[in-house]
């Protein structure tokens, strides 16, 4: 008959072991999180550029049908709703309503523009003119 040995200490983790694990997890989060959020910011800029391009394409289609770009008063809403007095309008030119930029701000539109027949832009993350990095304006004329 064999005798079973009972451990003198119950199985589990000590407080010190748990603290070491928490410190390691904190260091990993501190190292990975800034890199992750930097990538999120870059992807928002890419989405804004893609949306500006899609809006430019819709504006060009509007111009082909109507003969001119929508005036500032009609704005980008003219891509979804027929402006009064535009009998040659063949829209809607977008499948959905005009989106806000990735930061929740409406796209800006001006026709005639200062940089071309129209100007289309987003103010970037900060929602204000100018800025650097993710706060920089995303424009149609560059």
């Amino acid at each position: 008959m064999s005798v079973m040995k009972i451990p003198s200490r119950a199985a589990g983790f000590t407080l010190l072991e748990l603290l070491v694990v928490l410190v390691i997890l904190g260091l990993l989060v501190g190292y990975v999180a800034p890199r992750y959020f930097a990538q999120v910011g870059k992807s928002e800029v890419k989405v804004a550029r893609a949306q500006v391009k899609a809006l430019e394409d819709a504006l060009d289609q509007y111009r082909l049908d109507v003969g001119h770009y929508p005036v500032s008063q009609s704005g980008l809403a003219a891509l979804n709703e027929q402006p009064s007095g535009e009998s040659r309008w063949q829209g809607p030119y977008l499948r959905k309503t005009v989106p806000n930029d990735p930061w929740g701000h409406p796209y800006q539109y001006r026709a005639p523009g200062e940089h071309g027949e129209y100007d289309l832009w987003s103010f970037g993350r900060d929602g204000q003119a100018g800025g650097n990095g993710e706060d920089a304006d995303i424009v149609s004329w560059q």
Side-chain angles (χ1 to χ4, degrees), residues 52-97:
V52 165
K53 176 68 174 119
L55 291 171
E56 286 178 310
D57 292 344
L59 287 165
D60 288 341
Q61 186 62 48
Y62 179 99
R63 181 176 181 258
L64 287 172
D65 290 346
V66 177
H68 59 83
Y69 289 107
V71 295
S72 294
Q73 292 79 10
S74 299
L76 296 174
L79 297 174
N80 289 89
E81 299 170 10
Q82 183 173 3
S84 61
E86 295 294 352
S87 60
R88 297 188 314 179
W89 189 84
Q90 300 291 317
Y93 298 96
L94 295 172
R95 291 183 184 180
K96 299 179 181 178
T97 60

Side-chain angles (χ1 to χ4, degrees):
M1 181 165 149
S2 73
V3 177
M4 209 157 134
K5 187 175 180 181
I6 299 175
S8 61
R9 186 176 108 161
F13 297 106
T14 66
L15 181 60
L16 182 60
E17 291 169 330
L18 290 174
L19 289 174
V20 168
V21 168
L22 288 175
V23 166
I24 291 171
L25 286 174
L27 290 171
L28 285 172
V29 168
Y31 179 75
V32 172
R35 285 169 173 62
Y36 170 75
F37 288 115
Q39 294 302 318
V40 170
K42 288 178 186 175
S43 67
E44 288 173 333
V45 170
K46 288 180 183 177
V47 167
R49 286 190 181 128
Q51 286 178 333
V52 165
K53 176 68 174 119
L55 291 171
E56 286 178 310
D57 292 344
L59 287 165
D60 288 341
Q61 186 62 48
Y62 179 99
R63 181 176 181 258
L64 287 172
D65 290 346
V66 177
H68 59 83
Y69 289 107
V71 295
S72 294
Q73 292 79 10
S74 299
L76 296 174
L79 297 174
N80 289 89
E81 299 170 10
Q82 183 173 3
S84 61
E86 295 294 352
S87 60
R88 297 188 314 179
W89 189 84
Q90 300 291 317
Y93 298 96
L94 295 172
R95 291 183 184 180
K96 299 179 181 178
T97 60
V98 176
N100 285 336
D101 68 17
W103 303 279
H105 307 292
Y107 283 99
Q108 305 298 307
Y109 175 78
R110 176 177 48 225
E114 294 177 6
H115 304 280
E117 293 184 69
Y118 67 87
D119 294 343
L120 174 63
W121 72 98
S122 163
F123 286 125
R125 181 179 63 181
D126 64 355
Q128 300 177 7
N132 296 315
E134 295 170 37
D135 293 338
D137 299 347
I138 291 109
V139 298
S140 64
W141 57 86
Q142 290 179 344

